[in-house]
Amino acid sequence: MKATESAPDTLIILQRGACEQRCAVYRIVIFADGTVVYEGRHFVRKSGLMKTGVSQEVLSKLISDLEAGGFFQLEDNYGYGNKDHCDSIDSDGPAAILSVSNRGRSKTVLHNHRCVGSAPNRLTELEDEVDRARK
């Protein structure tokens, strides 16, 4: 496997959910070969199912950033019954679920964006990186 090639088990899924306001609802799936499947549901620029791709370099950087950001060491849940890491609770915020599989490891984190604190804020940055990688 080349240095810029992803592991064959690489899979990244980001789902963003509804909130009390008009939050975007969509899902992004990024496969090991760089294929990206986007499904826009509500309050998004483009609704429906779309297939695009990212380069192996972009995917490798994303995996590296997730690793460096401590994704695999995060709690499984922020803001849903687990408010230990919430410095404060905002009045409204969307839900996000980020799942990453890579090199035999898998992790899924459920994140209520109402939960504000250093760990949830770091998770938000990682979620945003997944969004940016597909563009």
Side-chain angles (χ1 to χ4, degrees), residues 42-55:
H42 304 287
F43 309 115
V44 291
R45 273 188 226 134
K46 294 184 179 182
S47 293
L49 204 55
M50 287 167 258
K51 181 179 171 187
T52 61
V54 296
S55 69

Side-chain angles (χ1 to χ4, degrees), residues 2 20 22 29 37 57 61 66 75 79 83 103 110 119 131:
K2 296 176 185 167
E20 294 172 16
R22 297 173 60 108
V29 181
V37 177
E57 290 79 16
K61 182 181 180 329
L66 288 163
E75 299 285 330
K83 296 188 171 104
R103 301 191 190 284
L110 176 60
D131 275 329

Side-chain angles (χ1 to χ4, degrees), residues 47-106:
S47 293
L49 204 55
M50 287 167 258
K51 181 179 171 187
T52 61
V54 296
S55 69
Q56 284 297 309
E57 290 79 16
V58 168
L59 183 53
S60 292
K61 182 181 180 329
L62 179 57
I63 290 293
S64 177
D65 290 348
L66 288 163
E67 293 268 358
F71 179 76
F72 288 100
Q73 288 73 45
L74 291 171
E75 299 285 330
D76 294 339
N77 168 349
Y78 290 92
Y80 289 100
N82 177 7
K83 296 188 171 104
D84 294 345
H85 298 282
C86 304
D87 296 339
S88 65
I89 303 292
D90 284 349
S91 60
D92 187 26
I97 303 169
L98 180 56
S99 298
V100 179
S101 295
N102 186 53
R103 301 191 190 284
R105 295 185 303 168
S106 291

